Amino acid sequence: SKMGRVPRSQRKGKQKSIFKSHNFHRVAPARFRVLDFAERHGYIKGVIREIIHDPGRGAPLARVVFRDPYRYRLKSEHYIAAEGMYVGQFVYCGKKAGLAIGNVLPVSSIPEGTAVINVESYTGDRGQFSRASGTSAVIIGHSDDGAKTRVRLPSGARFFFSSRRRHTRFLPVSWARRCV
């Protein structure tokens, strides 16, 4: 008595299978800083120390080093590199940061029609949408009371987000991939 073939969905559940992702050489997860007092009420300055290729990801990562506001030490975060970022550039994160390439700001402080990347799904989740190379979300408009912002995602879907959510200003590297 022969058994039949194991269905594909069941094979995907096994630990050692061809469907397992190859993530041994990955550098680090790309995400924002933890949302703290400095970002909610002011800004914090970091410097880009290096721009790194991450295997399995189209867009490169930028290693940004911040001074810890609470202890005497440096903290390193990996951001998705935006077009125009360079080593040695100062990156400002927070509510009162200026509108410049690579800065991390709340969605409410961005003018309509601006292309952004790495938009948070929930406030403080460190970035979920528009993270692949060559993609960007566009700020469509803000509500009258300033609590909600409408954003067009790379899929074309339009969503209302809370205006307190963060994103990085401008396009991820490899924008030319979509312009060909």
Side-chain angles (χ1 to χ4, degrees):
S1 71
K2 289 189 173 187
M3 297 293 290
R5 171 185 270 174
V6 178
R8 179 181 295 148
S9 60
Q10 290 182 9
R11 287 191 290 132
K12 285 183 179 181
K14 288 193 176 189
Q15 288 296 320
K16 297 187 183 231
S17 75
I18 60 172
F19 301 106
K20 190 174 175 186
S21 84
H22 304 288
N23 56 10
F24 179 72
H25 294 287
R26 297 274 169 93
V27 176
R31 55 191 185 185
F32 294 139
R33 294 179 67 247
V34 175
L35 187 61
D36 59 357
F37 184 87
E39 278 199 55
R40 283 196 309 270
H41 300 288
Y43 67 89
I44 187 165
K45 181 175 85 169
V47 63
I48 298 176
R49 289 288 169 88
E50 61 181 332
I51 294 179
I52 319 160
H53 168 68
D54 190 16
R57 183 189 301 273
L61 296 178
R63 186 168 68 88
V64 184
V65 176
F66 297 93
R67 292 178 68 182
D68 192 319
Y70 307 108
R71 292 189 184 88
Y72 178 71
R73 64 179 176 180
L74 296 176
K75 294 198 83 171
S76 181
E77 298 288 346
H78 288 84
Y79 286 4
I80 295 172
E83 192 82 44
M85 280 183 160
Y86 55 90
V87 175
Q89 175 186 356
F90 290 120
V91 175
Y92 298 92
C93 303
K95 182 180 178 182
K96 296 185 179 177
L99 184 64
I101 293 172
N103 287 356
V104 178
L105 307 151
V107 179
S108 62
S109 59
I110 293 295
E112 297 172 4
T114 306
V116 296
I117 61 170
N118 203 11
V119 181
E120 287 184 331
S121 176
Y122 299 100
T123 304
D125 72 1
R126 304 173 83 175
Q128 298 293 321
F129 295 114
S130 185
R131 295 162 52 96
S133 66
T135 63
S136 67
V138 178
I139 307 293
I140 295 174
H142 303 287
S143 64
D144 292 333
D145 61 352
K148 297 275 186 187
T149 299
R150 193 166 171 92
V151 177
R152 182 172 52 81
L153 297 178
S155 64
R158 291 168 167 81
F159 283 107
F160 277 107
F161 289 109
S162 166
S163 293
R164 293 173 47 201
R165 296 188 185 147
R166 299 177 291 174
H167 69 279
T168 302
R169 166 78 171 87
F170 211 56
L171 309 170
V173 175
S174 302
W175 174 245
R177 288 176 54 175
R178 295 205 39 203
C179 298
V180 176

